[in-house]
Amino acid sequence: MRPYLITAKPSRLRLAARWAGRWALKTLALLVMAGLGALVFVVRSARPVINYLATRAAWLELWAASVTGIGPVGAAIGSGLTDEFIREFHRARRATV
């Protein structure tokens, strides 16, 4: 029991509204956490499939390069992207220090 004066005591309606608001907020927080958990689960579950598809695509590109005699273009593009990513990562790391 809360020590309120008789005139300052909150009504049953106000107490019920506060209780409902509190539980609505808790329910909303639980739904947000469950949604984020489901998203993380989907992304983590898809990683092996993505890795497999990337490996098969690289193999297919090497096979096509050997058949056509044209060098693998993906390797040249991929190495350029990797170099740019490393430069950007080190630039961002130096900026925070």
Side-chain angles (χ1 to χ4, degrees):
M1 198 74 188
R2 294 190 171 88
Y4 291 111
L5 295 174
I6 293 173
T7 57
K9 188 174 181 180
S11 66
R12 288 182 190 264
L13 183 61
R14 185 176 298 244
L15 288 174
R18 188 180 299 155
W19 180 86
R22 207 175 278 140
W23 277 101
L25 186 63
K26 287 179 183 181
T27 304
L28 181 64
L30 181 65
L31 289 173
V32 167
M33 287 187 287
L36 288 173
L39 179 67
V40 167
F41 178 75
V42 167
V43 169
R44 290 190 64 137
S45 298
R47 280 184 65 190
V49 175
I50 292 169
N51 287 342
Y52 173 77
L53 291 175
T55 303
R56 297 306 293 174
W59 180 85
L60 181 64
E61 182 187 17
L62 290 175
W63 172 81
S66 68
V67 169
T68 60
I70 302 171
V73 179
I77 293 172
S79 65
L81 288 175
T82 302
D83 293 341
E84 182 59 34
F85 175 77
I86 290 171
R87 275 194 299 275
E88 183 66 29
F89 175 73
H90 288 302
R91 187 179 315 131
R93 196 174 66 170
R94 278 192 306 255
T96 60
V97 173

